[in-house]
């Protein structure tokens, strides 16, 4: 018999309004585990529900929007064989702005002892590794990465490690400095469309880039990305484009003969592959994401965490909501 207990969970009561409440902790069913969460990352995809979307219902469910959680398994349902109580895990679940969440056992991955005491928002780290795999980056290529936040910084490190020359393009000087710290060979301020194109043209001997990763999720960066891809190259759309339709220059894409890759994985097996690759990379020391966890908030400060993710105060890269 699994113990019933209460927990604290953050609830988005209305656009721009959140608070922590007491509510029953979820009980795992067959094939599920319950996780006592240590923390949960804040994702840019949270911002549209935070601003208010007419098709959403408020208040939202306790813990809702949180999908980057990690913690320790404290209960397992029937038919769970490979995950045990006491395992420290990263989970792909959906209500992790709370002290407890449940997830299918197939959607959690153990964290090795090398990661003890370290935050591990597994979903965005796994997403970065899946994007990197889809990008097919090879040694000697020029790779433009547009938008250097958490995702762009991780991809900069992975692409540089793969032997590519990364050209990082971002608005803020501190973001460009971050890109340099993560291995970028060149940085360009994202301030003038045509100037950026000319700078990339100069840096690549007019060949432009074999790979361009758009990691912003807005119209202009997508337009810019299409201009920076060289003939026969790949445009990888990693940004979160969920705020309405986009217009694209199909004539340009078609004339260049480029591949356009929407690198958002929905296959659970692929999602878990990326998560496991991320765990191995961080545990081995190949990737150190610690400098990217720039801001921490308590559970009752979810609103402030979301505001910071939207407004990007000085030094901001990624917010974590910590449960204690």
């Amino acid at each position: 018999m699994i113990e019933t207990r209460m927990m604290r969970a953050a609830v988005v009561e209305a656009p721009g309004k959140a608070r922590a409440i007491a509510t029953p902790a979820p009980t795992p069913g067959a094939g599920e585990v319950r996780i006592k969460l240590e923390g949960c990352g804040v994702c840019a995809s949270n911002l549209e529900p935070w601003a208010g979307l007419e098709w959403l219902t408020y208040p939202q469910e306790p813990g809702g929007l949180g999908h980057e959680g990690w913690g320790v398994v404290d209960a397992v349902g029937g038919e769970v064989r490979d995950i045990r109580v006491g395992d420290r895990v990263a989970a792909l679940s959906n209500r992790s702005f709370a002290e407890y969440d449940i997830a299918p056992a197939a959607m959690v991955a153990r964290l090795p002892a090398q990661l003890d005491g370290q935050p591990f928002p597994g979903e965005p780290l796994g997403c970065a590794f899946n994007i990197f795999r889809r990008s097919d980056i090879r040694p000697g290529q020029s790779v433009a990465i547009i938008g250097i936040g958490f995702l762009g910084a991780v991809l900069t490190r992975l692409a540089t490690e793969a032997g590519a020359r990364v050209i990082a393009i971002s608005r803020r000087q501190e973001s460009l400095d971050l890109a340099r710290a993560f291995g970028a060979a060149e940085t360009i301020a994202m301030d003038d469309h045509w100037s950026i194109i000319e700078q990339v043209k100069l840096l690549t001997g007019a060949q432009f880039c074999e790979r361009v990763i758009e990691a912003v999720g807005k119209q202009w960066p997508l337009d810019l990305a299409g201009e920076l891809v060289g003939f026969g190259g790949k445009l990888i759309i990693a940004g979160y484009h969920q705020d309405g339709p986009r217009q694209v220059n199909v004539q340009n894409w078609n004339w260049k003969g480029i591949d356009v890759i929407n690198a958002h994985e929905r296959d659970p097996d692929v999602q878990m592959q990326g998560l496991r690759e991320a765990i191995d990379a961080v545990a081995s020391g190949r990737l150190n994401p610690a400098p990217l966890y720039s801001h921490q908030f308590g559970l009752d400060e979810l609103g402030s965490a979301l505001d910071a993710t939207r407004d990007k105060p000085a030094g901001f890269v990624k917010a974590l909501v910590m449960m204690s």
Side-chain angles (χ1 to χ4, degrees), residues 127 129-138 141 151 155 210-215 222 225-226 229 232-241 248 253 257-265 270:
C127 183
F129 275 78
N130 284 327
I131 292 166
F132 176 70
R133 189 186 322 109
R134 292 284 297 275
S135 299
D136 186 29
I137 292 170
R138 303 173 189 176
Q141 291 180 335
L151 181 60
L155 289 168
E210 289 92 343
R211 304 288 185 268
V212 177
I213 302 175
E214 187 277 318
L222 183 61
V229 185
K234 296 181 188 293
L235 167 57
I236 300 94
I237 302 174
Y240 185 75
H241 288 266
V248 298
W253 292 5
I258 68 174
D259 294 333
V260 179
I261 298 166
N262 289 280
H264 283 267
E265 301 295 347
V270 177

Side-chain angles (χ1 to χ4, degrees), residues 245-281:
R246 292 284 182 261
Q247 292 184 332
V248 298
N249 189 344
V250 174
Q251 179 182 8
N252 182 38
W253 292 5
N254 182 261
W255 177 61
K256 289 183 176 180
I258 68 174
D259 294 333
V260 179
I261 298 166
N262 289 280
H264 283 267
E265 301 295 347
R266 292 294 175 262
D267 184 324
D269 290 338
V270 177
Q271 291 175 330
M272 290 302 296
Q273 179 183 353
L275 174 55
R276 293 189 179 99
E277 289 174 357
I279 291 170
D280 289 345

Side-chain angles (χ1 to χ4, degrees), residues 19 62 70 72 85 123 142 145 160 181 183 192 214 237 268 293 314 322:
R19 69 184 181 99
W70 73 93
V72 177
V85 170
E123 192 274 343
S142 292
I145 300 179
T160 299
D192 180 271
E214 187 277 318
I237 302 174
Y293 307 138
M322 306 300 290

Side-chain angles (χ1 to χ4, degrees), residues 31-251:
E32 295 180 332
V33 302
R34 184 170 69 191
I35 303 156
K36 188 178 190 302
L37 293 159
E38 297 174 7
C40 180
V42 179
C43 179
S45 68
N46 299 152
L47 295 181
E48 277 101 16
W50 181 236
L53 295 172
E54 61 184 13
W55 59 85
L56 292 180
T57 300
Y58 297 88
Q60 298 205 307
E61 61 184 343
L65 301 184
H67 57 272
E68 300 182 1
W70 73 93
V72 177
V73 174
D74 90 312
V76 299
E79 303 175 16
V80 175
R81 300 289 180 265
D82 298 328
I83 301 293
R84 296 178 175 82
V85 170
D87 286 345
R88 189 167 184 259
V89 299
L92 302 182
S93 58
N94 297 299
R95 295 173 299 280
S96 290
F97 288 139
E99 291 179 324
Y100 293 87
D101 196 4
I102 57 173
M107 301 303 286
V108 303
R110 288 190 191 88
L111 299 177
Q114 296 95 316
L115 300 179
D116 285 354
Q118 299 182 36
F120 202 91
E123 192 274 343
L125 286 166
C127 183
F129 275 78
N130 284 327
I131 292 166
F132 176 70
R133 189 186 322 109
R134 292 284 297 275
S135 299
D136 186 29
I137 292 170
R138 303 173 189 176
Q141 291 180 335
S142 292
V143 177
I145 300 179
I146 303 175
I148 305 298
F150 179 86
L151 181 60
V154 173
L155 289 168
T156 295
R157 177 70 260 155
L158 297 180
T160 299
E161 182 188 59
R165 178 177 68 150
V166 173
I167 303 170
I169 303 166
S170 206
R171 291 187 301 109
R172 300 184 298 165
Q173 182 58 48
E174 62 189 41
S175 298
L176 299 177
D177 294 341
L178 177 66
R180 287 278 188 185
F182 272 68
E186 310 287 349
T187 59
I188 299 174
M190 191 174 174
D191 53 11
D192 180 271
H193 187 81
W194 300 110
S195 174
I196 296 166
I197 294 170
E198 287 302 312
Q199 290 180 72
V200 173
K201 182 178 180 180
L202 182 63
L203 287 169
T204 59
Q207 298 303 302
F208 290 95
C209 298
E210 289 92 343
R211 304 288 185 268
V212 177
I213 302 175
E214 187 277 318
V216 180
K218 300 295 182 184
Q219 181 72 60
W220 175 34
L222 183 61
D223 293 340
L224 180 63
E227 298 292 340
L228 301 184
V229 185
F231 290 108
K234 296 181 188 293
L235 167 57
I236 300 94
I237 302 174
Y240 185 75
H241 288 266
Q242 295 293 319
D243 58 341
R246 292 284 182 261
Q247 292 184 332
V248 298
N249 189 344
V250 174
Q251 179 182 8

